[in-house]
Amino acid sequence: MTRDWWKHLILILGVIVVIAPFYMMVSYSFKSPGEIDRGEGGFFGRQEMMVDERCVKLRDPSRDDIAAAMDRFPGQTDAAIRTALVAEAEADCSMRPVVFNYSKAFTEAPLLRYLLNGVIVTASIFLIQVVVALPAAYALAKLKFWGRETVFGLVLFCLLIPVHAIALPLYIMLTKLGLTNSYAALVVPWTISVFGIFLMRQFFMTVPDDLIDAARMDGMSELAIVWRVMLPTAVPALMAFAIFSVVAHWNDYFWPRIVISGNRDLFTPPLGLREFKGDADGSFFGPMMATATVIVTPLIVAFLIAQKRFIEGITLSGMK
Amino acid sequence: MAGLKIENITKRFGETDVLKGVSLDIADGEFLSLVGPSGCGKSTLLRIIAGLEEQSSGEIYIGGAPVAGRRAADRNLSMVFQSYALYPHLSVAENIAVPLKMRRLSPLQRLPVLGRFMPGMRHQAAEIGTEITHAAKMLEIAHLLDRKPGQLSGGQRQRVALGRALVRDPTAFLLDEPLSNLDAKLRVQTRAEIAQLHRRLEATFIYVTHDQVEAMTMSDRIAVMMGGRILQCAAPDVVYDDPDTIEVAEFIGSPKINIVPVEVAETGEICLLDRKLDLLAQGRGKGVMSLGLRPEALRLAGEDAPIKGHVVHSENLGAELFVQIDAAGLGHPLTFRAAPRDRQALALGAPVGLAFDAAQALLFGADGLRVRDVRHHLPTQAEVA
Ligand SMILES: Nc1ncnc2c1ncn2[C@@H]1O[C@H](COP(=O)(O)OP(=O)(O)OP(=O)(O)O)[C@@H](O)[C@H]1O
Ligand SMILES: [Mg+2]
């Protein structure tokens, strides 16, 4: 045992605290409601066949159904036919809890549509943020103009404004423009990211002036320098910014909840989670957690892929 | 190709005057070196010529036309930067291609993916490819074309930077200490390559360096710059043999020129260590002046030599020997170039007498300016002592 065991202990405790909610989420998405209620079944649950009560209730045979089923059960009483039909329905509606949870996640609400909305919104936000932030950061870092320090001061100042503080005025402005309940309402307020401008400006400060002058000598315009020289060298910083931006807006519940009311076609994934909250006929934790798992999976996959790019980056070593 | 004319350029950064009225006339096809100590404003002047920095006053003419207000890209100059400044994300071939692409292709043709399908693109791409190969062959980097700058050695990067500047056909080349990051051997080799390149291209070169050996060996003319002024601009041998000021004399030449104080009498007679030299500086009045003696102007002499001292240090370079001699009555040691056969006589601590040709001595006034109207008492070949 090394002398550093206590460091590892602290780190392991930290990991447990961070991982625990995820563990619960994934575990619940596998289990049946009974197991969730009783807190049993380990991680995967026992995966015993279960009957979907709602499904059975929906198929409760009516008088017409029984009459129609007469042919299949010749010479039996109505009560016996009814029992047989209910048994059939129960057989059809029984499934493994994991199948139940995930199929509910996709059928109870249009989850695919929500995921698509999430992709459209986060991608548009990030792209427009980059289109705005890169030239702004370049100007703040590398161009000399009157009032540059003041403008940069304003950028820093804007970093201090919490979004919740300006949510109401933003909402009112969007309403006046008639933009609520549209993709624009989800995207437009976030297109100028002062954090992005600040982050990219700090990175651009480290790019040698000679590189930019060389580009000018080679005949590039200032905008060409931004897209052809600064953007490719800034990929690592851009990836870091992408994480902040995409995670924040993919997971955002607050803002979509405010500007999207009613029109379910515009729901983003977190809004989709609401579909399972406190239904009258019992708790729906299984499908809810399955939905949550489906929502976070794209993020985790994306960042596992991006991880390599993060670490290697493009070094500026070619310049010296 | 065209000449350049720089007229009375000044540059202020805030409160500091970096350039204080620089004028230069550079002929078409000339190789001009700009030398001077660190911080004297060489890079600033070059950047102003390139259009990367704006002068506070003064005018620049390229090929006879004033270029005030013209962007760097439109001046059609080519520059190699002190730090190479290669694009780190592009391969060597792409780095060299950038200036050609930016000038020859339309904005549509430069689009990242679609550009390839624009009309006329295939022909253009082939042409650019040929020129890159040609430049790469000339600089012997053809085998490196697919690498990124990060995977190259300093010398290779420097050649790529040169290649990027050379593929174009600019009015003039501006090179800012392009050899400063190379090791001694590569520096000598690349120095020769650049000189050859100049002969072959017959283009105008302005070459900034603080290494005076580079300047001496490569240039048609040297402009010695100090404190934001050009002190002298002349052919290398003129700058060496006939400097205008004491600063130029001290800056050019390695080891440094020896400066010894001399006294000038009312009559113009000059005395070194109370000994009369056969030099006359008339009409300047009484006072103290400085005499510059190159290490090779000194030679060993016998008992009655004007300068006497002893050896305090010596450096053997094989073909020659530089000996430091502490002479009585002079503040600091003199450097003297001796032949290897004199090694025995120049052991550490040995007493030495030194003499010199009056004709090779350079006289400077108290203000540091050269005093040229000196006369010799005797025929120039005659010797002191
Ligand atoms: N942007 C700037 N702002 C303020 N002062 C500057 C700026 N650029 C250069 N200077 C000053 O101008 C002077 C000349 O700088 P310059 O880079 O031209 O020197 P140099 O002769 O090229 O030196 P070196 O041989 O070290 O490259 C220096 O004292 C430097 O501090
Ligand atoms: Mg410099």
Side-chain angles (χ1 to χ4, degrees):
Chain A
M1 200 73 197
T2 62
R3 271 182 295 138
D4 289 340
W5 63 270
W6 57 271
K7 287 184 190 164
H8 292 165
L9 188 71
I10 291 174
L11 288 174
I12 286 168
L13 285 176
V15 167
I16 289 173
V17 168
V18 172
I19 292 285
F22 280 92
Y23 177 88
M24 299 289 280
M25 177 184 79
V26 177
S27 175
Y28 276 19
S29 78
F30 290 150
K31 290 187 191 177
S32 67
E35 286 167 330
I36 293 172
D37 279 347
R38 293 188 298 275
E40 59 182 32
F43 183 66
F44 287 107
R46 279 189 304 278
Q47 298 299 338
E48 280 168 343
M49 291 305 255
M50 59 170 275
V51 177
D52 180 357
E53 302 292 341
R54 277 223 309 205
C55 167
V56 175
K57 213 179 279 175
L58 279 175
R59 289 180 54 166
D60 194 31
S62 63
R63 204 163 288 281
D64 293 344
D65 291 333
I66 296 170
M70 281 292 201
D71 294 349
R72 290 198 287 135
F73 304 99
Q76 294 194 19
T77 62
D78 279 7
I81 292 173
R82 189 188 155 82
T83 321
L85 279 181
V86 169
E88 250 178 28
E90 278 187 359
D92 282 351
C93 285
S94 69
M95 55 185 96
R96 306 266 173 216
V98 55
V99 179
F100 169 74
N101 288 341
Y102 280 91
S103 59
K104 269 281 170 283
F106 281 95
T107 53
E108 201 71 8
L111 185 56
L112 282 177
R113 173 73 202 223
Y114 298 168
L115 288 172
L116 179 69
N117 284 343
V119 169
I120 293 173
V121 168
T122 43
S124 319
I125 290 177
F126 179 64
L127 280 182
I128 303 178
Q129 279 177 338
V130 168
V131 168
V132 174
L134 280 193
Y138 172 70
L140 286 174
K142 292 295 180 190
L143 300 182
K144 292 179 203 120
F145 56 90
W146 188 85
R148 178 173 83 162
E149 299 313 313
T150 318
V151 174
F152 185 58
L154 284 176
V155 168
L156 289 180
F157 176 71
C158 289
L159 276 177
L160 302 176
I161 302 175
V163 284
H164 303 89
I166 53 169
L168 194 58
L170 269 179
Y171 176 74
I172 293 170
M173 287 196 307
L174 286 172
T175 319
K176 292 246 154 105
L177 290 171
L179 284 178
T180 47
N181 285 313
S182 68
Y183 281 122
L186 291 168
V187 172
V188 170
W190 309 112
T191 48
I192 298 177
S193 161
V194 278
F195 175 69
I197 296 175
F198 173 72
L199 188 79
M200 297 319 290
R201 185 257 185 195
Q202 295 308 96
F203 182 83
F204 286 169
M205 295 291 281
T206 66
V207 174
D209 287 343
D210 274 359
L211 187 65
I212 293 158
D213 284 339
R216 289 187 183 130
M217 295 300 290
D218 284 345
M220 290 193 200
S221 66
E222 297 300 312
L223 272 179
I225 292 175
V226 172
W227 302 119
R228 290 174 175 272
V229 180
M230 300 310 262
L231 173 66
T233 51
V235 167
L238 217 50
M239 296 293 278
F241 176 54
I243 287 195
F244 285 108
S245 169
V246 170
V247 169
H249 296 112
W250 180 268
N251 290 339
D252 192 14
Y253 178 77
F254 172 74
W255 186 251
R257 181 83 182 83
I258 289 182
V259 291
I260 303 299
S261 51
N263 188 353
R264 285 172 86 197
D265 282 348
L266 291 171
F267 274 19
T268 56
L271 286 186
L273 276 180
R274 287 179 66 234
E275 312 261 330
F276 301 98
K277 91 176 151 57
D279 280 56
D281 45 353
S283 61
F284 240 37
F285 281 128
M288 192 180 196
M289 289 303 121
T291 309
T293 310
V294 170
I295 291 173
V296 298
T297 308
L299 287 185
I300 292 175
V301 170
F303 292 122
L304 285 181
I305 295 170
Q307 196 183 23
K308 196 163 152 267
R309 290 288 292 170
F310 256 127
I311 294 164
E312 66 186 17
I314 291 183
T315 53
L316 290 170
S317 63
M319 246 111 33
K320 280 267 173 193
Chain B
M1 304 291 151
L4 266 107
K5 193 168 148 120
I6 295 158
E7 230 175 52
N8 217 7
I9 293 286
T10 64
K11 176 72 187 172
R12 293 175 72 85
F13 283 117
E15 285 300 295
T16 44
D17 280 317
V18 174
L19 298 179
K20 303 166 187 163
V22 173
S23 298
L24 269 177
D25 221 331
I26 304 158
D28 187 10
E30 186 173 7
F31 194 117
L32 181 104
S33 287
L34 207 53
V35 301
S38 192
C40 70
K42 306 181 295 289
S43 298
T44 308
L45 179 60
L46 214 59
R47 291 168 51 81
I48 289 174
I49 297 174
L52 297 171
E53 197 97 58
E54 204 173 341
Q55 64 265 37
S56 304
S57 72
E59 185 61 273
I60 292 173
Y61 302 86
I62 298 178
V67 292
R70 245 199 273 171
R71 290 188 314 142
D74 302 333
R75 295 193 182 188
N76 196 21
L77 301 170
S78 213
M79 186 155 172
V80 177
F81 289 83
Q82 211 164 346
S83 57
Y84 307 154
L86 301 175
Y87 305 111
H89 59 289
L90 298 180
S91 71
V92 168
E94 289 165 329
N95 259 286
I96 299 177
V98 168
L100 296 179
K101 284 192 181 158
M102 292 314 293
R103 268 152 224 275
R104 295 209 191 137
L105 304 186
S106 66
L108 277 182
Q109 287 174 322
R110 288 200 300 260
L111 284 179
V113 179
L114 291 178
R116 223 171 297 157
F117 305 107
M118 292 293 153
M121 185 61 189
R122 182 158 336 146
H123 174 67
Q124 289 275 21
E127 209 167 79
I128 289 174
T130 334
E131 284 176 49
I132 293 171
T133 327
H134 179 72
K137 281 218 185 86
M138 184 166 74
L139 293 160
E140 294 172 24
I141 46 172
H143 57 295
L144 304 173
L145 285 177
D146 294 329
R147 296 218 205 148
K148 293 272 165 72
Q151 304 163 316
L152 301 179
S153 76
Q156 291 167 335
R157 282 178 206 167
Q158 195 260 317
R159 286 191 240 185
V160 177
L162 271 174
R164 188 175 60 176
L166 294 175
V167 275
R168 276 172 47 211
D169 189 17
T171 314
F173 291 95
L174 313 173
L175 299 96
D176 193 354
E177 303 193 26
L179 309 187
S180 54
N181 289 341
L182 303 192
D183 68 40
K185 182 161 163 266
L186 207 54
R187 189 178 302 197
V188 173
Q189 186 187 330
T190 321
R191 197 157 76 198
E193 278 169 13
I194 293 178
Q196 273 171 15
L197 217 55
H198 170 244
R199 276 194 292 275
R200 190 166 29 180
L201 298 175
E202 294 177 341
T204 313
F205 275 64
I206 305 180
Y207 187 98
V208 168
T209 174
H210 59 230
D211 179 347
Q212 41 111 353
V213 180
E214 270 172 28
M216 295 290 289
T217 51
M218 301 167 78
S219 8
D220 296 323
R221 275 195 306 161
I222 296 180
V224 183
M225 198 165 163
M226 257 172 235
R229 267 183 243 280
I230 292 196
L231 299 183
Q232 188 170 10
C233 180
D237 48 342
V238 175
V239 174
Y240 187 82
D241 293 331
D242 195 12
D244 280 344
T245 71
I246 198 163
E247 287 114 320
V248 174
E250 282 187 301
F251 188 77
I252 300 289
S254 168
K256 229 170 92 175
I257 192 169
N258 301 298
I259 302 291
V260 295
V262 289
E263 276 185 40
V264 184
E266 202 68 62
T267 56
E269 282 179 331
I270 295 173
C271 289
L272 170 62
L273 298 173
D274 298 332
R275 199 166 156 149
K276 215 192 283 174
L277 302 178
D278 56 349
L279 285 171
L280 260 182
Q282 278 169 329
R284 299 221 150 222
K286 210 162 128 56
V288 177
M289 290 193 184
S290 303
L291 199 65
L293 297 166
R294 296 260 177 220
E296 65 273 16
L298 293 168
R299 77 194 136 63
L300 283 175
E303 276 301 285
D304 54 349
I307 303 170
K308 288 197 202 66
H310 59 275
V311 178
V312 287
H313 180 70
S314 81
E315 283 171 357
N316 185 6
L317 300 186
E320 58 198 2
L321 193 65
F322 287 107
V323 186
Q324 303 251 327
I325 287 160
D326 197 1
L330 298 176
H332 50 89
L334 300 182
T335 310
F336 152 59
R337 193 183 74 172
R341 66 185 136 78
D342 293 330
R343 272 248 296 283
Q344 305 300 349
L346 294 168
L348 220 56
V352 183
L354 291 176
F356 55 90
D357 281 347
Q360 289 183 343
L362 308 168
L363 188 64
F364 300 97
D367 52 1
L369 292 182
R370 177 81 182 281
V371 178
R372 282 213 165 82
D373 53 344
V374 284
R375 288 197 294 128
H376 309 287
H377 293 304
L378 307 168
T380 50
Q381 281 310 308
E383 293 166 1
V384 187

